[in-house]
Structure formats: C-alpha cells, structure tokens
C-alpha cells in the first residue's frame, strides 16, 4: 500500500463524496469511518488528511473518528507508530508533508493532529463483529482475495454497519454487481457505493 493510492479516487472523495456525507450528517453527529484491511496505515492517514483538508477553515472542526483494522498485529503496530521512510516524499506533495507530517532523523511521522483522529485495532473481517453507525467504509482490494461465500458475508456485514445512505469504497478490481439490492453506485468508475435500505 502507499499514501493516496489511486489519486483520482481521493480527488473524487474530496470533491463529490465528502460534501454529501457532511450534508447528510445531523448537527453535532460524529463522523465515523472504518478502513478495513488497513495494512500499515497509509490509507487511514490519507483519508484523515483528505478530510482535514476538506474542513479546513471551518470555525469548528467536526468530530471525526477513523478506525483502521487489520488481521496482522505487526501491521497494526506499525500503523500506530505512524513512522514512514523518506521515500514517501515521492507520494505526497510538499504542501501535505509540511502540514501533516513531522520530519525525523530517518523518515517522517504523521502529525499528532492527524493521528488523534485514528484508532487502530486488530480485527478479523471474517469472524469479528463490525463497528457500527458508520458513515464510510473503505475496503480496497481485500475482497478479491476471498471466496464468493466470504465476500457475500462481508458485504452483508458492511451493509449492516453503515448508517442509512452510508458510503462503501472498494478497490479498483472489485465490484458489487452481485449485491445490487444492497448498494447503489455513486461513482462506478472510482468504486463508491451508497447503502440501500432493504426489508429484512
């Protein structure tokens, strides 16, 4: 993984998805985001930075909680440490490095302002209960490694975990064609979907 993987996805996230998510929020309601299969945290921090850029200039920044989970305890420890090599300068603009990272002797650390939004935990998508009342779930390029039965169970879990009109983001090689009763495409090209209500 890397920071701002598939930059077009993050551009659409800021310009088209976040405005709708904030518009749908009740006053004072916390924004809750889950990145499932987060590896060493780059995607979690990329989403946090994108969100902070979007709300920049607001008198009162909204309450936000971003959960990053992975089955690997080693990956989660690295994500919590938030220290990355100098080579991330090839992935991140100088402006973002200045605003959201601290230069260390060897590498960069994500700034405390960004880290304070993010909670990391070990979690098995196949067996552990999900988070709830979520506005966004990002699960990019995880489902492609699973069989169809597991995919169906996990997509059903995501549907349950999202708020009404919550958003699901998948990887570029993934699709929800088999789950049209559960999700509707917001941006088919960039793999953003919105939750549909359905009778139980």
């Amino acid at each position: 993984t890397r920071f701002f993987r598939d930059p077009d996805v993050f551009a659409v996230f800021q310009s088209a998805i976040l405005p709708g998510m904030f518009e749908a929020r009740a006053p004072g309601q916390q924004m809750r985001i889950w990145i499932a299969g987060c590896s060493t945290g780059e995607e979690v921090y990329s989403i946090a930075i994108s969100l902070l850029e979007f709300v920049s200039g607001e008198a009162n920044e909204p309450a936000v909680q971003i959960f990053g989970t992975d089955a690997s305890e080693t990956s989660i420890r690295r994500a919590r440490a938030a220290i990355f090599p100098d080579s991330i300068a090839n992935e991140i603009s100088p402006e973002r490095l200045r605003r959201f990272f601290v230069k260390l002797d060897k590498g960069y650390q994500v700034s405390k302002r960004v880290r304070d939004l993010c909670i990391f935990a070990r979690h098995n998508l196949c067996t552990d209960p999900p988070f709830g009342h979520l506005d966004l779930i990002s699960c990019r390029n995880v489902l492609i490694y699973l069989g169809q039965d597991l995919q169906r169970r996990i997509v059903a879990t995501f549907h349950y975990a999202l708020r009404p009109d919550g958003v699901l983001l998948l990887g570029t090689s993934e699709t929800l064609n088999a789950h049209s009763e559960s999700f509707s495409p917001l941006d088919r090209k960039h793999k953003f979907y919105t939750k549909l209500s359905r009778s139980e």
Side-chain angles (χ1 to χ4, degrees), residues 116-177:
D116 283 349
L117 301 181
C118 306
I119 297 171
F120 291 95
R122 185 178 180 186
H123 181 275
N124 187 319
L125 269 178
C126 304
T127 58
D128 294 334
F131 299 90
H133 306 289
L134 297 162
D135 298 280
L136 170 73
I137 296 174
S138 173
C139 184
R140 300 174 70 198
N141 302 319
V142 174
L143 297 180
I144 56 174
Y145 297 105
L146 306 176
Q148 289 188 354
D149 287 345
L150 270 180
Q151 288 185 27
R152 280 193 291 270
R153 283 170 47 194
I154 290 169
V155 170
T157 296
F158 289 161
H159 186 274
Y160 170 81
L162 285 164
R163 300 187 202 269
D165 301 318
V167 176
L168 174 62
L169 169 61
L170 296 182
T172 54
S173 300
E174 296 166 328
T175 181
L176 286 180
N177 289 340

Side-chain angles (χ1 to χ4, degrees), residues 33-39 43-45 47-48 66-70 136-140:
I33 295 172
W34 178 21
I35 292 82
C38 72
S39 186
E43 175 121 349
V44 179
Y45 293 125
I47 285 179
I66 304 176
F67 304 99
T69 65
D70 199 272
L136 170 73
I137 296 174
S138 173
C139 184
R140 300 174 70 198

Side-chain angles (χ1 to χ4, degrees), residues 10-94:
F10 284 92
V12 169
F13 179 57
Q14 282 189 318
S15 65
I17 304 301
L18 277 175
M21 288 173 59
F22 275 97
E23 187 176 327
R25 250 169 89 255
Q29 177 180 297
Q30 183 186 61
M31 175 138 333
R32 290 166 59 85
I33 295 172
W34 178 21
I35 292 82
C38 72
S39 186
T40 47
E42 288 91 336
E43 175 121 349
V44 179
Y45 293 125
S46 297
I47 285 179
I49 289 168
S50 296
L51 200 149
L52 287 172
E53 289 175 334
F54 179 79
V55 301
S56 178
E58 288 194 13
N60 297 306
E61 288 188 0
V64 176
Q65 200 161 50
I66 304 176
F67 304 99
T69 65
D70 199 272
S72 166
E73 184 62 40
T74 300
S75 293
I76 289 300
R77 282 199 299 268
R78 289 178 60 190
R80 286 194 192 112
I83 297 173
F84 299 92
D86 285 324
S87 59
I88 66 168
N90 299 322
E91 307 166 7
I92 301 171
S93 69

